[in-house]
Amino acid sequence: MKTRNKLINGAAFINGEEFIGKKTFDVVNPATGEAIVSVADLGLKDIERAINSAEEAWPSWRTTPIAERSAILKRWHDLMIKHTDEIAEIMTVESGKPLEESKIEVTYGASFVSWFAEESYRTYGDQIPSPTADKQIVVLRQPVGVCAAITPWNFPLAMVTRKVAPALAAGCTVVLKPASQTPLTAIAVAHLALAAGLPKGVFNVVTGKDAEGIGKLLATNDKIRKISFTGSTAVGKTLMQHAASTVKKISLELGGNAPFIVFDDADIEAAVKGAIAAKFRNAGQTCVAVNRFLVQEGVYDQFAERITEAVNQLKVGNGLEKGVKVGPVINQKGLEKVENHVKDAIEKGASVLTGGKHKNALFFEPTVLGDIPLEAKIAKEETFGPVVSLFRFKTEDEAVALANSTEYGLAAYFYSDNVKRCWRVAQALEAGMVGINEGAISTAVAPFGGIKESGIGREGSKYGIDEYMEIKYLCFGL
Ligand code: ADP
């Protein structure tokens, strides 16, 4: 790809230095099929070198005064904001998301860095009153050590900063393996971290096609004390098994099957607006994307009509073009899954209210399917595409039971203007996050994470730094 974007760089980043090695792979723009740049395809020996450099950098980083660590993180944040246009362009060409969304992600991704720069000052310990006079009890919080992070392609920046920023703020060092589809954003921001004054070896980025081999090494290596992963539930389970061999601390942010309930007493216009926000960001490829719209029978027809109109307004295309709201899906496998879910729902009796077809290349028409039977795959599996799936229900109890009838428990949304119902339903939904009359819930200041098979641990917020700290109890005999 011809570009003047100086932040595009295909070298891995180990011990503060660029490293390409003998093998490379191409990162491809999903909107055009064009290769952007060749990226280092590292072998396990190179990954070990990165782990060693993170281990060597740890003693001095953990003892660097908080004021200094925090100042470096703030400078890193500022550099990301300064380079918003370049980072956003990289995100759009490697992930396909509309440029407007990429720019928002730069602000959102950088906000984890400024948030945790501040939270580093608040890693308080405790003093516990002793039951006896001959002891003093004190609790310290200390950094875990070398951390590994494995991130997905759908948020090439925010998934990185959500893990790396709290780890660095806590005093840990990091080896990051970004998704092979979108490593360029991670590499770009690692260079900005170095420019912000982060010492060599504190943050390493390793790239490679052998996700399984690299994942296994990171999850089993005894120098790594913690692994944080965002991606599919299947891979999360494998990593959890590997991590058991050294009893590593682990955080997992896995798949979802988010319900979006529209009750008869909802503000329908607000629900449609929230539905578009919660469904179409990144062409439906987010883990908090709505997978099932459960609509009460009294407002079903009205909601179906209004959401179909709204979906028909969405412009599809290359994310670099102005006004595009829906880009391509990430790859052929992703496209086939969307096609398969839509075909299966139609075969089982769903009606097509708009769209329903593959457009061209990796583009799928924004789609609304109505009256989907519960046996359809779309009711059970994460579709990860631009498809609105409508299901009809009669009572509140039925809606809650349907919403919870999944092994996942990441996000849930519902719309109602009845305050008592809002409290009842919010408490009954089995999800780590609930949007009540709101479709856009992600922010660095709130805890992001799931229950059931959607994950372990929380990212962002005052809780997010705990994932990178150990509690140490000191008992002083007097
Ligand atoms: P997605 O379906 O969103 O691509 P994955 O779980 O396959 O989700 O990918 C998320 C991240 O996990 C990516 O960085 C990918 O390279 C990595 N990954 C994929 N398979 C494995 C594996 N077996 N072990 C460790 N990491 C993996």
Side-chain angles (χ1 to χ4, degrees), residues 243-256:
S245 67
T246 51
V247 195
K248 278 191 214 323
K249 272 172 92 79
I250 186 159
S251 307
L252 301 170
E253 203 265 273
L254 308 175

Side-chain angles (χ1 to χ4, degrees), residues 409-428:
L410 194 58
Y413 310 83
F414 70 91
Y415 277 69
S416 164
D417 276 351
N418 175 335
V419 71
K420 288 186 183 171
R421 167 174 274 167
C422 286
W423 275 106
R424 268 197 314 270
V425 174
Q427 290 185 78

